[in-house]
Amino acid sequence: MGNLAFGSDRLLGSSPYLEEIRRRGPIPRMSGVYITTDYEVCRTILRDRSFGVVTPNHPGLPKPIRWMLAKTDLGLPNLGEPPSMLVTDPPDHTRYRRTVGQAFGPKAIATLEQRIAEVADDLIDRLESKPRPDLISDFSAQMPVTIIAEMLGLPADMHSTLLKWGDSGAPLLERGLDWSTYRDAIEDLVEVKEYFDRHLDGLGDEPGNDVLSMLVTAGDMTRREQVANAALLLDAGFLTTINMLGNGIALLAGNPDQLEQLAAQPWLWRNAVEEILRYDGPVRMTGRVANCDVDLDHQRIPSGSLVLLSLAGANHDPAVFPDPHRFDVTRDNAAEHLSFGSGIHGCLGSRLARLEGSIALPALFDRYPNLRLDGPPIPHPLRNLHAYRSMPVELGVGRAAS
């Protein structure tokens, strides 16, 4: 384990390696970086202003990644580069988030409940006409892209293009992507930048009530900041939810006893969404940099050190989640997971994702209680973002639509 590489499958995936890290202590130093699978350590670091986000020029990142970023920074809206709020610390992060935060607050998200239900029901109706429906492309992807496009004020005929951009841009959140994948993503980012430049120009002349109009009318963001965060809101608005829905469908279809419990106790669905996020969260790892010397868990973390936080490991910490490798929709503390992060960088769209999951998943399984996977789902080749690329199913005999 001494040669464990940053971004490797060993760190991000299989639990035996995560358990080996756990056995080494709360925050062991391996291959030049600090690594933790400890829940309390992860939560502390995520909330502690002594730690900041990892920027692309950090020396702890692999040299090929830093080289690629240095050669291709053309002001494109890369989710993994500033001024994306994902990789920006205060005061800029505070300014960006304040501009759009109200649109993702509790009251605003609650107003979307009926619309989410309408979109879910419409997509479920369409499944019956497909000879071999794919619950990723036909359902899990379509619902969140529809909702976030409406929130951002983007036209319906853009959905397929938005999904294409999201699919090509997702690898930019990885730390071990190859040059070919990176080049393809950058080429699509050129399209993203050109589109949002035009779109935001139009909003400057005639703003609406959508989230992107908030970016334009705030008056305290440069055009590059507007475009970068428009792209982030788009991708973050559906990528995580696509993955959450797909992972959840696979888990529930593979655990019929849990589905039976949900059918008997439908009030458990919200908790089931939390357990899906805990057990098989869409993001496996994040990173932070110590802004100063920090004493943590009886250990000195020197200023500038890179710390890798295994969210998957934290969500399976037996000190917090008893019997952590058991999928249990009745788990009392499932909602304590760290799949959406914590602190100032906690996922802005977490309420939206939770609401979409708690509406879409019960609607799907209520209509098609005999749904089963038609062969193993095809995993996405990404390593940090855990998702399925394809999930063909057999619907079985469905209940009549109400």
Side-chain angles (χ1 to χ4, degrees), residues 29-333:
R29 191 169 189 269
M30 303 167 66
S31 301
V33 299
Y34 292 89
I35 304 172
T36 183
T37 59
D38 184 279
Y39 179 91
E40 292 299 338
V41 171
C42 285
R43 187 173 66 167
T44 296
I45 291 174
L46 289 169
R47 295 179 176 186
D48 191 341
R49 297 292 185 92
S50 299
F51 293 89
V53 293
V54 183
T55 55
N57 61 354
H58 190 276
L61 294 178
K63 289 183 179 179
I65 300 299
R66 286 184 279 132
W67 181 87
M68 286 189 291
L69 291 170
K71 296 292 183 183
T72 56
D73 182 11
L74 305 175
L76 299 176
N78 185 339
L79 276 63
E81 294 184 59
S84 161
M85 75 175 79
L86 189 67
V87 285
T88 308
D89 281 323
D92 288 335
H93 175 270
T94 306
R95 176 165 52 90
Y96 302 155
R97 188 149 177 148
R98 182 177 59 238
T99 299
V100 297
Q102 187 175 354
F104 293 89
K107 291 183 179 179
I109 296 304
T111 65
L112 297 173
E113 184 169 352
Q114 182 176 346
R115 179 57 182 152
I116 292 170
E118 291 171 353
V119 173
D121 287 343
D122 179 58
L123 292 170
I124 291 168
D125 287 343
R126 297 183 194 181
L127 292 176
E128 197 161 356
S129 65
K130 297 180 181 293
R132 191 171 184 254
D134 183 332
L135 289 188
I136 300 300
S137 61
D138 296 330
F139 183 70
S140 298
Q142 298 301 324
M143 201 194 77
V145 78
T146 299
I147 298 301
I148 195 63
E150 291 179 1
M151 291 179 69
L152 299 182
L154 301 177
D157 61 8
M158 284 287 294
H159 289 181
S160 61
T161 300
L162 301 180
L163 288 169
K164 170 180 171 288
W165 288 344
D167 190 57
S168 68
L172 294 172
L173 298 176
E174 300 284 309
R175 298 305 186 198
L177 72 167
D178 59 79
W179 171 250
S180 176
T181 302
Y182 185 79
R183 182 192 59 212
D184 291 345
I186 291 299
E187 288 176 356
D188 268 0
L189 282 185
V190 173
E191 293 183 20
V192 174
K193 181 180 185 301
E194 291 175 349
Y195 176 80
F196 278 117
D197 270 333
R198 292 193 304 271
H199 187 75
L200 296 177
D201 276 342
L203 293 180
D205 297 330
E206 195 173 342
N209 296 318
D210 55 84
V211 178
L212 294 186
S213 292
M214 294 179 182
L215 292 178
V216 173
T217 59
D220 62 351
M221 297 177 70
T222 67
R223 173 49 56 87
R224 186 180 182 193
E225 289 174 328
Q226 292 170 356
V227 170
N229 286 292
L232 173 65
L233 291 170
L234 170 65
D235 286 353
F238 66 79
L239 282 176
T240 298
T241 308
I242 291 172
N243 300 348
M244 177 193 70
L245 292 175
N247 296 352
I249 292 167
L251 272 174
L252 292 166
N255 290 273
D257 61 315
Q258 299 295 296
L259 272 177
E260 289 174 10
Q261 191 150 13
L262 289 167
Q265 299 173 289
W267 57 87
L268 287 174
W269 269 108
R270 287 187 180 272
N271 198 67
V273 170
E274 302 293 351
E275 177 68 348
I276 289 165
L277 287 162
R278 182 203 70 84
Y279 188 89
D280 196 7
V283 180
R284 290 168 165 170
M285 182 201 72
T286 190
R288 291 292 186 268
V289 175
N291 293 328
C292 57
D293 291 346
V294 183
D295 291 318
L296 183 63
D297 210 285
H298 309 292
Q299 187 169 352
R300 171 61 61 93
I301 309 297
S303 178
S305 297
L306 177 62
V307 184
L308 303 184
L309 312 178
S310 172
L311 302 180
N315 288 341
H316 286 78
D317 188 338
V320 178
F321 303 104
D323 196 6
H325 301 295
R326 177 171 56 91
F327 177 62
D328 180 7
V329 299
T330 69
R331 186 179 296 275
D332 290 340
N333 66 341

Side-chain angles (χ1 to χ4, degrees), residues 362-382:
L364 176 68
F365 284 101
D366 182 64
R367 182 78 64 85
Y368 299 110
N370 300 309
L371 181 153
R372 68 182 184 87
L373 301 181
D374 188 7
I378 307 301
H380 204 291
L382 300 178

